[in-house]
Amino acid sequence: MKRIGEATSIAHPNIALAKYWGKRAQAGNVPAVPSLSVTLAGMSTTTEVVFDEHLDHDELVLNGVALAASARPHQRAVELLDRVRASARIKARARITSTNDFPTASGLASSASGFAALALAATRAAGLDLPPTEIADLARRSSASAARSVFGGFVELDGGEGASGEARPVAPATALDLRILVCVTTESAKTTSSTDGMALTQSTSPYWDAWLADAPRVHRTMRYALLAGDFARVGELAEHSALAMHACAMAAGVVYVTGATLAALAEVRAMRADGLSAFGTIDAGPHLKCIVRAADVAAARTRLAAVPGVLRTIEAAPGDGARLVETRSTAPRVAVTSEEARP
Ligand code: PMV
């Protein structure tokens, strides 16, 4: 067996506090609006990539299961590998082994940690040594939210007219004393993918223009609040961002929330009325995520666990970006400029 290079990386999921929803028409998977997220600690995707000249096709083993070449996750992984091969000027096929230590239906996007880990491991295994911004650019082309998981702490992703889709760190994990409580409301996977939901929203929601006008303002205001360490303002804006995104999507018939999601949100608001600084956010699925301070986790968890339809809660804290754990390449290092490396 002729291995030309291998690398293993770890990345974590992230949750958008200021959401992105919708894509710009141009190629490159650039979001229609800017977003701001927090990368989470605790839950990880570990991905090993081995480029091997004796393989005749790319292989993907995801959570211990070898996927068929026709499976969508396999195709998406091959698209990323093709970009890496073009930049590194290699032809070898690769074996990807990727494992999540958190359940896929946990409401935490495994595509974000998955593509961040894959972009990092694949480039290194191919002999490329790219700066994080270029790794994020590669990850974004597969899943826009994955660009944010390349960095730790609080991260923004550029979007909108004239934006390049660049991800960059805004503040370290310690910038805000924040915890996320994921209220798991179902163990099954979501029915409408975010890509399909976004496409329908953009083409048919009567509120699309209002979303395009509102989201950049929310992102900008949240950035200031975050840098000022204003927990309550970040929380208020996060709840607003999620509700605006879902209102816009719902007007296009795209409904991710269930009764349990809304019951959990009502409990978050009841906590607030009782003086606890708690805020809700919802992604493209039925799980409510509650944003609280570390000192309020126990109280909030007890109340959320009692909400009918909440099956369990998962606690997450801000964490690190994607990183390599092992790398070995026998491929000659390819000297590439940033522009050349851009897939
Ligand atoms: O990039 P995707 O396809 O994982 O879509 C992410 C969509 C939201 O999670 C709802 C919002 C966001 O900014 O992460």
Side-chain angles (χ1 to χ4, degrees):
M1 190 158 68
K2 174 108 168 52
R3 292 176 167 210
I4 66 164
E6 58 190 78
T8 303
S9 66
I10 291 186
H12 306 290
N14 72 77
I15 285 189
L17 301 171
K19 305 288 182 200
Y20 111 76
W21 193 250
K23 298 173 194 291
R24 289 194 45 201
Q26 74 185 48
N29 204 23
V30 176
V33 296
S35 57
L36 201 161
S37 63
V38 57
T39 303
L40 303 176
M43 289 146 286
S44 315
T45 299
T46 304
T47 300
E48 182 198 58
V49 176
V50 180
F51 281 102
D52 184 337
E53 279 176 344
H54 291 134
L55 288 174
D56 53 15
H57 59 270
D58 294 314
E59 296 175 4
L60 170 60
V61 177
L62 191 56
N63 294 322
V65 178
L67 297 192
S70 57
R72 190 63 195 126
H74 190 287
Q75 292 170 352
R76 290 174 78 186
V78 171
E79 283 161 19
L80 188 150
L81 291 174
D82 284 343
R83 294 189 179 106
V84 172
R85 280 188 280 258
S87 293
R89 298 171 198 128
I90 60 169
K91 293 223 165 356
R93 304 289 118 181
R95 183 181 310 104
I96 305 168
T97 311
S98 187
T99 312
N100 298 323
D101 68 2
F102 56 98
T104 0
S106 64
L108 295 157
S110 53
S111 65
S113 50
F115 283 110
L118 180 60
L120 180 58
T123 48
R124 272 309 177 94
L128 295 170
D129 189 1
L130 303 181
T133 310
E134 301 289 343
I135 304 286
D137 186 82
L138 180 63
R140 191 202 65 245
R141 288 163 196 268
S142 297
S143 166
S145 57
R148 299 185 309 232
S149 275
V150 169
F151 301 98
F154 296 85
V155 185
E156 66 184 357
L157 174 62
D158 213 12
E161 274 318 305
S164 60
E166 185 176 310
R168 53 186 98 83
V170 174
T174 49
L176 217 55
D177 170 34
L178 166 153
R179 296 289 181 274
I180 303 279
L181 295 175
V182 183
C183 301
V184 178
T185 58
T186 173
E187 301 294 356
S188 35
K190 66 184 166 203
T191 45
T192 308
S193 74
S194 46
T195 302
D196 291 349
M198 286 182 208
L200 207 55
T201 306
Q202 280 184 259
S203 56
T204 65
S205 176
Y207 304 143
W208 177 245
D209 288 343
W211 165 252
L212 283 186
D214 189 54
R217 180 193 63 81
V218 172
H219 164 262
R220 201 169 48 244
T221 319
M222 185 182 287
R223 197 179 196 283
Y224 284 128
L226 169 66
L227 293 173
D230 189 342
F231 177 89
R233 188 79 182 116
V234 170
E236 275 165 24
L237 288 162
E239 191 169 303
H240 167 84
S241 172
L243 294 178
M245 174 200 127
H246 283 274
C248 183
M250 273 193 218
V254 179
V255 182
Y256 290 107
V257 297
T258 62
T261 322
L262 295 177
L265 179 63
E267 188 58 31
V268 168
R269 294 179 147 208
M271 287 187 223
R272 219 153 61 222
D274 294 342
L276 202 145
S277 202
F279 303 90
T281 184
I282 309 160
D283 291 297
H287 315 284
L288 187 282
K289 286 125 186 187
C290 176
I291 302 160
V292 283
R293 288 197 172 91
D296 294 328
V297 163
R301 244 185 145 161
T302 307
R303 289 185 65 160
L304 291 167
V307 173
V310 172
L311 307 177
R312 58 199 166 91
T313 59
I314 302 170
E315 182 188 342
D320 295 331
R323 59 207 175 274
L324 287 165
V325 287
E326 230 172 84
T327 175
R328 193 161 64 87
S329 176
T330 53
R333 280 285 156 111
V334 181
V336 279
T337 65
S338 288
E339 270 317 301
E340 279 178 327
R342 205 174 278 278

